Amino acid sequence: DKKPNSRDFRAKTGVTQKDLSLAFGRNPYSKLVELSGDKPNRFGMDKSEISDVLLRWGLLTRELEMIPTQYEWEDSGNKPTVSGIARSHNLKWSNIPIAFNEHFGSDQKWQDVIKLLPLKSDNVEIETELSQSECFVYLMKDNRNNAHKIGISNDAIFREKTLQSEQPKIELIAKKKYVNRKIAGAIEKALHNVYQHKHLRGEWFRLDEEDLIELKATLTE
């Protein structure tokens, strides 16, 4: 008699929110409804469940191979905002690694992410500790399509190797180390803004020779 919301769907089918998010990414139930030929009811959607938030946080951590900052979470388009997570779920950003471990710590599929978590007691500001680590801003090239990636990593060489395991044609072009992740993140954001008009997707850009000369000069150690 009425269009089911995501909670109704899960109750009837036994499909979990985790399964939906793994299959469809962000806003999974809306995408499922659209694939079924219907229009999602935007006003009737449930607020994000904590398991869905943690799942997307884990996927972003896996992609970055480090604990994401608040900026990286919101800059990647994830919802709710950091303040929204605190309001809706009473969960501080610094305690998300602890919550993630509680939900997915025994799941073998997430052990690569679990190993990245500096699990501390609830009263420790994990993000502050992470922000004090040295961090690189790097430039990489995908030789298949000549796209370039501007990103940050605690270990640029390790990041290159992990990306090469997925796409062997990726190579590190330039890197520069900064005293902490906060500064590196600010530099990365500034570079993203400079080349925004050449943005392709994520951290990838279509750069010309003049751009590369500028970036190599900027990121030379």
Side-chain angles (χ1 to χ4, degrees):
D1 296 332
K2 68 180 181 71
K3 183 186 297 183
N5 59 29
S6 61
R7 186 174 290 109
D8 296 331
F9 173 79
R10 294 195 304 274
K12 292 289 186 180
T13 63
V15 175
T16 66
Q17 183 71 20
K18 177 181 176 181
D19 292 334
L20 285 173
S21 295
L22 285 173
F24 297 102
R26 293 179 54 213
N27 302 320
Y29 188 65
S30 294
K31 293 177 181 176
L32 177 62
V33 171
E34 290 173 345
L35 286 173
S36 300
D38 203 352
K39 291 184 178 180
N41 183 356
R42 299 290 177 182
F43 297 100
M45 290 194 304
D46 300 327
K47 76 173 184 179
S48 60
E49 296 189 5
I50 188 59
S51 59
D52 185 40
V53 173
L54 294 174
L55 180 68
R56 285 184 279 115
W57 183 90
L59 291 172
L60 181 58
T61 300
R62 176 177 284 160
E63 177 184 347
L64 297 175
E65 295 184 347
M66 65 174 72
I67 307 299
T69 62
Q70 297 182 30
Y71 161 74
E72 287 165 338
W73 170 265
E74 296 184 358
D75 189 56
S76 63
N78 278 299
K79 298 291 183 180
T81 62
V82 172
S83 59
I85 294 172
R87 287 195 305 270
S88 300
H89 304 292
N90 193 30
L91 180 63
K92 293 197 304 181
W93 182 257
S94 59
N95 286 335
I96 288 183
I98 297 169
F100 184 88
N101 185 57
E102 291 174 349
H103 278 72
F104 300 111
S106 61
D107 190 332
Q108 289 301 313
K109 294 193 295 291
W110 290 104
Q111 292 310 300
D112 60 323
V113 174
I114 297 299
K115 290 178 181 178
L116 298 172
L117 307 186
L119 301 175
K120 305 290 184 180
S121 60
D122 287 359
N123 61 353
V124 173
E125 293 292 334
I126 294 175
E127 187 175 2
T128 299
E129 179 180 313
L130 289 168
S131 68
Q132 295 173 350
S133 302
E134 292 180 339
C135 191
F136 291 87
V137 179
Y138 63 77
L139 174 68
M140 292 187 187
K141 179 182 179 181
D142 187 338
N143 288 302
R144 298 171 306 159
N145 53 22
N146 289 322
H148 288 82
K149 178 179 173 66
I150 303 171
I152 64 174
S153 174
N154 288 346
D155 186 336
I157 302 299
F158 178 75
R159 184 63 174 144
E160 178 188 30
K161 290 179 179 178
T162 56
L163 287 172
Q164 284 177 339
S165 68
E166 301 171 3
Q167 301 294 345
K169 297 296 184 179
I170 290 177
E171 64 174 314
L172 180 66
I173 303 299
K175 61 181 174 68
K176 186 171 184 177
K177 183 168 65 176
Y178 293 89
V179 295
N180 59 50
R181 193 174 176 192
K182 182 178 180 180
I183 294 176
I187 298 297
E188 179 201 37
K189 182 178 180 180
L191 292 175
H192 285 183
N193 289 337
V194 168
Y195 301 106
Q196 179 60 39
H197 60 296
K198 298 186 176 183
H199 180 252
L200 293 174
R201 66 189 184 283
E203 297 180 332
W204 291 92
F205 297 81
R206 180 71 68 193
L207 305 175
D208 59 30
E209 286 301 318
E210 184 177 348
D211 300 328
L212 295 176
I213 291 172
E214 295 172 348
L215 279 166
K216 289 176 183 177
T218 300
L219 299 178
T220 297
E221 292 191 287

